[in-house]
């Protein structure tokens, strides 16, 4: 850590890092970050913006079969939320979620969009966050989650091959419009939902398109035992081997979870260069710790993500460090510095953006300032250990992306937060009320009866 330094930002880049007294003569706007620590902005490598607020604090304590994602009982609730007629209204919920991520230190979001990618891209453009984004293929939430629900035939709907191929074609068209937009803050990615929900022709089509477009690909991989069983039944092999057949098992691939990756596929995961995104707090709700530290020991590339619900990447660092120690029964690893590296410079390298995730001359000015004076965190002898073990995202008081100040003194500068909150509340209330009227919630979660949780 360096003290008494000045970071000189010109345009969207860090131009110089100087001792503070040498910066006094520079003609520039000054932002004093007294009692704050300046860090590179955090990178959330897996989320579905908008999904979390719909179903936060609903099914976390639900009794589930081993390995079932805790939100699967909510699939019908999302189907309500993602209805076409609510599209405009729902954009406030997406924005609310994006602001939650930004407020807690995230400057780059990899959004595997589960609804309305265009709405999301307009929001990212406006609020100033950096994003890598693409919609899930198939987009239909019932088809995606029904496959994981284990046994209920009426939920095992699928999206036809024709529809999935049309979604891929539409996405390729969107690259022309959005890839590199907002001064390079927006990068498009391809996002097949998972091997067991996608037609093989679509996976192979994504493989071809990824090479042609030279883009990254994101997906879900081995997140539940039911996914492995369904893949075995359809393809006679494991999800990663299917991705290999589709020419997707390579450095472009950023795959969420990997929790149930068979041991026999570890070498392939390491040799192929894919990245597995560890979503520690999401999995903890299912009483599961993904083997991320042992994956690293096997030479597999790892990143960190929230997978929605929790939007706070600082909390995610804490979960990754603490649960990582429990998983390997060793108190000295992973260290706070190692998990922070995963969410900054390592993530940047996976995203093929060495200009992100570091504070150095020439890098993009994506920065956060963390307050370190609160009695709950001070004294701060080792900044990184203090942040990871004793801080949380609400300690982030300053945020800048591409040289633009977005948050100062803990408040957004260019966002009407109260207005977004009012619109998000209205949208969510109408979603919850109609879901209750339709019997969706009573059927899966009879204890939920509150529809105005913002009040
Ligand atoms: Zn996910």
């Amino acid at each position: 850590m360096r003290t008494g330094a000045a970071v000189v930002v010109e345009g969207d880049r860090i131009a110089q890092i100087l001792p503070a007294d040498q910066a006094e003569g520079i003609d520039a706007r000054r932002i004093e970050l007294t009692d704050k620590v300046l860090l590179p902005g955090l990178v959330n490598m897996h989320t579905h913006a908008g999904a979390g607020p719909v179903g936060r604090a609903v099914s976390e304590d639900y009794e589930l079969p081993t390995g079932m994602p805790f939100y699967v009982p909510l699939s019908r609730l999302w189907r309500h939320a993602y209805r076409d007629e609510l599209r405009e209204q729902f954009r406030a919920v997406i924005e609310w979620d994006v602001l939650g991520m930004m407020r807690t230190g995230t400057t780059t979001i990899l959004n595997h969009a589960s609804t309305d990618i265009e709405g999301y891209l307009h929001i990212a453009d406006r609020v100033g966050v950096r994003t890598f984004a693409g919609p899930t293929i198939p987009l239909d939430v019932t088809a995606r989650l029904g496959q994981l629900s284990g046994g209920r035939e009426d939920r095992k709907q699928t999206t036809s091959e024709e529809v999935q191929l049309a979604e891929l074609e539409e996405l390729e068209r969107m690259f022309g419009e959005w890839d590199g937009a907002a001064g390079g803050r927006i990068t498009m990615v391809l996002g097949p939902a998972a091997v067991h929900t996608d037609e093989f022709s679509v996976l192979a089509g994504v493989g071809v398109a990824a090479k042609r477009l030279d883009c990254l690909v994101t997906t879900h991989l081995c997140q539940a035992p039911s996914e492995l069983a369904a893949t075995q039944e359809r393809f006679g092999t494991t999800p990663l081997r299917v991705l290999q057949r589709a020419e997707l098992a390579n450095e472009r691939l950023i795959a969420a979870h990997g929790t149930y990756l068979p041991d026999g596929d570890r070498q392939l995961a390491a040799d192929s260069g894919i990245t597995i995104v560890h979503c520690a707090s999401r999995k903890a709700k299912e009483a599961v710790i993904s083997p991320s530290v042992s994956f690293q020991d096997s030479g597999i590339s790892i990143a960190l993500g929230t997978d929605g619900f929790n939007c706070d990447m600082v909390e995610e660092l804490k979960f990754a460090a603490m649960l990582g120690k429990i998983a390997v029964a060793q108190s000295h690893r992973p260290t706070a510095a190692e998990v922070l590296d995963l969410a900054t410079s390592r993530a940047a390298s996976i995203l093929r953006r060495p200009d992100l995730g570091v504070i150095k001359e020439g890098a993009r000015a994506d920065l956060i300032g963390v307050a370190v004076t609160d009695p709950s965190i001070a004294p701060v002898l080792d900044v990184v250990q203090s942040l990871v073990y004793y801080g949380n995202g609400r300690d982030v008081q300053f945020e800048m992306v591409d040289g633009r100040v977005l948050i100062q003194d803990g408040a957004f500068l260019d966002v009407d937060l109260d207005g977004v909150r009012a619109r998000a509340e209205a949208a969510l209330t109408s979603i919850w009320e109609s879901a209750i009227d339709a019997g969706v919630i009573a059927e899966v979660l009879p204890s939920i009866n509150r529809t105005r949780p913002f009040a």
Side-chain angles (χ1 to χ4, degrees), residues 46-48 71 112 220 223 256-257 282 307:
H46 182 72
T47 193
H48 309 274
Y71 53 77
H112 198 186
H220 296 91
Q223 73 161 316
H257 307 303
R282 166 42 233 292
D307 202 12

Side-chain angles (χ1 to χ4, degrees), residues 12 17-18 29 73-75 84 95 146 161 167 172 178 182 205 270 278 289 334 338 344 347 375 438 452:
D12 56 14
I17 301 168
L18 303 167
R29 176 184 164 202
L74 302 177
S75 62
D84 278 347
E95 184 166 353
E161 182 174 17
E167 287 179 4
E172 290 189 56
W178 284 101
H278 180 45
I289 304 176
E338 284 164 353
T344 52
R452 295 187 64 81

